[in-house]
Amino acid sequence: MRVIDVAEVTAKIRDMAIESNYNVDPEYLAQIESAKASESSPLGRNILNQITENAELASAERVPYCQDTGLSVVFADVGQDVHFTGGSLESAINEGVRQGYRDGYLRGSVVNDPLRRENTKDNTPAVIHYRVVPGDHFVLYFAAKGTGSENMSMARMLKPSDGREGILRTVVEHVFESGGNPCPPILLGIGLGGSIEKAAQIAKWSLFRPLGRPNPDLLVADLEQDILKAVNRTGVGPMGMGGDTTCVAVHIETYPCHIGALPICINVECHAHRHAELEF
Amino acid sequence: MNRVVSAGVVEIELPLRDEVIARLEMGEMCHLSGVIYTARDAAHKRMVEALELQEALPFDVQGEVVYYVGPTPPKPGAVIGSAGPTTSGRMDVYTPRILEAGLKGMIGKAGRSRPVVDAIVKYGCVYFAAVGGTAALLSRSIKKVEMIAYEDLGTEAIRKLWVERFPAVVAIDCHGNNIFEEGFKEYAAE
Ligand code: SF4
């Protein structure tokens, strides 16, 4: 059995919150950099330039890339042979968020209750997904999820007869209707199958995949590519003001589902793609 | 009338004058210099409530520009934290009332509702879009900040900002041309 002190968890979450907010995913920026050559809208190219310039500045001056420093979302893969000491794991994660948002001058963007809506001022609580895995591994994944893009996410129960075409149509229409709201160029995380909540959870999880790495299932990878091409033909473009660069990658995760169901969740991510992972 | 365009960018001195607004066209890149005010969801709600009660607004909106932003806390010694635009659509329910009261310009990101576009045309206003997510870059154009109202709202409080060459695009001009409805057409395949 492996013993882990939760104080270590707090320290790591704190650092992940700060670093991810100052330094967004370099792969994403590389995609934007290369899109500059193919973007035919002059305004679109100007926007892509502002995005990469902003990234350089945020890293160099160690300031938040975006003023929406996000909702903290954590996936914790906990080996069944791990034992935590020093207090509650959940409290330790939230304490890490609290310290990171305070020490990093990040914005507290969380309200205590969806109806009462009082700002908790320290960005807690995080949304945490635990997954119990064999062995004594312990891996933490952290994301600072912007709400402009999260608000453009959706779940829908398609019919099995809608099939591949129905999925493609649903995603393309949705991206078109979202326009500039999610701050394109976007990343699309799509959960297919399972139940309504499973589809949402794997959609979120797909955003942690290294950018643009295809799903290992060729049938799914093929659909990812077709969606990417179709979405980039909508003309939505950078910030929704017209252009060729609407989406940099599509990540689909799947799960078995009921004979009568085809759940889909589209989790939209913006160019403020902030995530980190750490194996203990 | 002087309209300064340098390197394809329209240089605008604030407050906005009607003659300047009249010549702004959808898609033009601009630099805004002068005073703007921050306000987002909660501040808008309070301002509209004040208007309903015929109370004074925290600042005179006549001819002014509002920036939809909730900045991060400033680091020690900094003028302001990162300060990029938030989604304007959340302000749509309040905007027509504030334009009626005299506000002339807005800066935010993404599209607006039909009633907002109609109010922009009716009252001769302009909606600018700044690049969402480029908050570190945009904060460099902000030279001075003064907290003026609703301090209890924290990041959502109303601040007076002095900006220099703040980059923004004319997204909806005073004739109702709307880049979020027109922009994609040229680039859509099929
Ligand atoms: S959608 Fe993303 S990039 Fe745009 S303002 Fe929100 S967090 Fe920032």
Side-chain angles (χ1 to χ4, degrees):
Chain A
M1 193 174 58
R2 184 167 168 216
V3 177
I4 294 174
D5 185 341
V6 296
E8 220 184 308
V9 171
T10 295
K12 298 297 186 204
I13 291 281
R14 172 197 177 275
D15 294 350
M16 285 198 270
I18 296 174
E19 292 309 316
S20 60
N21 267 295
Y22 294 172
N23 306 290
V24 299
D25 185 357
E27 279 298 312
Y28 211 113
L29 295 170
Q31 289 292 324
I32 289 179
E33 194 59 53
S34 63
K36 289 177 186 173
S38 54
E39 176 56 64
S40 51
S41 154
L43 177 57
R45 286 196 299 275
N46 183 296
I47 291 168
L48 299 178
N49 280 326
Q50 289 188 53
I51 289 174
T52 51
E53 202 186 328
N54 180 63
E56 284 165 22
L57 196 68
S59 298
E61 299 196 350
R62 295 190 55 76
V63 294
Y65 175 95
C66 185
Q67 81 290 337
D68 179 0
T69 49
L71 173 72
S72 305
V73 178
V74 173
F75 279 80
D77 285 357
V78 184
Q80 59 194 40
D81 298 332
V82 173
H83 174 60
F84 292 99
T85 57
S88 126
L89 175 60
E90 185 144 331
S91 304
I93 291 172
N94 282 320
E95 183 57 26
V97 169
R98 185 172 293 122
Q99 292 181 10
Y101 276 67
R102 179 195 64 202
D103 299 348
Y105 298 91
L106 309 179
R107 193 181 79 181
S109 310
V110 173
V111 292
N112 64 340
D113 179 284
L115 296 176
R116 295 180 182 85
R117 306 203 73 86
E118 280 163 32
N119 198 311
T120 63
K121 305 223 164 78
D122 57 11
N123 221 50
T124 65
V127 170
I128 308 171
H129 304 283
Y130 300 98
R131 297 181 297 197
V132 177
V133 297
D136 62 2
H137 304 288
F138 177 49
V139 190
L140 282 177
Y141 301 85
F142 174 90
K145 186 67 180 73
T147 216
S149 49
E150 189 77 356
N151 278 349
M152 291 301 119
S153 301
M154 66 97 118
R156 187 177 294 167
M157 304 308 279
L158 299 180
K159 292 183 203 61
S161 60
D162 290 327
R164 191 182 194 278
E165 273 314 301
I167 293 165
L168 196 83
R169 198 178 340 107
T170 302
V171 178
V172 173
E173 282 175 9
H174 184 70
V175 171
F176 181 72
E177 280 159 22
S178 301
N181 288 296
C183 287
I186 55 172
L187 158 64
L188 287 169
I190 299 172
L192 275 185
S195 46
I196 183 126
E197 85 286 5
K198 186 71 184 177
Q201 200 207 24
I202 60 180
K204 176 71 84 232
W205 172 241
S206 77
L207 299 177
F208 287 89
R209 193 196 291 173
L211 193 82
R213 181 183 294 177
N215 187 297
D217 180 338
L218 290 180
L219 188 71
V220 179
D222 199 47
L223 180 56
E224 288 175 337
Q225 279 311 306
D226 284 357
I227 292 176
L228 180 64
K229 282 187 210 124
V231 162
N232 282 326
R233 280 198 296 265
T234 58
V236 167
M239 289 299 138
M241 293 196 266
D244 312 300
T245 321
T246 304
C247 180
V248 298
V250 177
H251 295 172
I252 302 177
E253 290 290 318
T254 63
Y255 196 82
C257 58
H258 192 278
I259 46 173
L262 177 51
I264 180 171
C265 175
I266 307 171
N267 197 183
V268 184
E269 171 71 315
C270 49
H271 63 85
H273 185 38
R274 298 157 295 195
H275 63 127
E277 67 176 82
L278 185 89
E279 177 151 14
F280 280 69
Chain B
M1 186 203 21
N2 51 335
R3 179 179 142 101
V4 185
V5 183
S6 91
V9 182
V10 187
E11 299 288 342
I12 300 176
E13 292 290 337
L14 302 172
L16 284 168
R17 284 175 295 129
D18 288 339
E19 318 87 80
V20 172
I21 295 175
R23 288 189 59 185
L24 290 174
E25 283 177 24
M26 179 191 86
E28 282 187 313
M29 277 181 263
C30 305
H31 284 150
L32 309 180
S33 301
V35 166
I36 60 177
Y37 294 86
T38 73
R40 38 173 293 158
D41 313 44
H44 272 77
K45 187 160 182 280
R46 285 197 194 174
M47 285 199 289
V48 167
E49 282 165 4
L51 286 170
E52 295 312 318
L53 295 168
Q54 300 190 323
E55 289 172 358
L57 292 177
F59 66 100
D60 184 4
V61 298
Q62 292 294 328
E64 298 294 352
V65 175
V66 156
Y67 180 23
Y68 305 140
V69 59
T72 60
K75 281 191 155 182
V79 170
I80 195 169
S82 296
T86 193
T87 307
S88 308
R90 292 197 319 275
M91 266 48 79
D92 284 355
V93 288
Y94 309 111
T95 296
R97 185 69 188 85
I98 293 175
L99 297 184
E100 188 191 354
L103 188 80
K104 280 293 177 183
M106 301 153 282
I107 310 169
K109 72 174 176 85
R112 309 302 305 257
S113 66
R114 193 71 246 167
V116 170
V117 179
D118 292 343
I120 286 173
V121 175
K122 183 170 175 192
Y123 302 112
C125 307
V126 56
Y127 169 56
F128 298 100
V131 178
T134 62
L137 187 64
L138 290 169
S139 67
R140 278 210 308 199
S141 306
I142 301 169
K143 303 300 177 188
K144 190 176 152 197
V145 179
E146 188 184 309
M147 179 73 77
I148 64 160
Y150 308 156
E151 202 166 346
D152 59 299
L153 294 177
T155 184
E156 299 208 45
I158 297 187
R159 295 168 173 85
K160 186 174 181 180
L161 307 182
W162 283 260
V163 296
E164 263 176 45
R165 305 186 81 225
F166 184 98
V169 176
V170 178
I172 304 174
D173 63 28
C174 67
H175 310 290
N177 300 307
N178 182 350
I179 203 165
F180 298 104
E181 274 170 14
E182 301 298 323
F184 76 92
K185 290 179 181 164
E186 198 182 329
Y187 303 98
E190 280 130 2

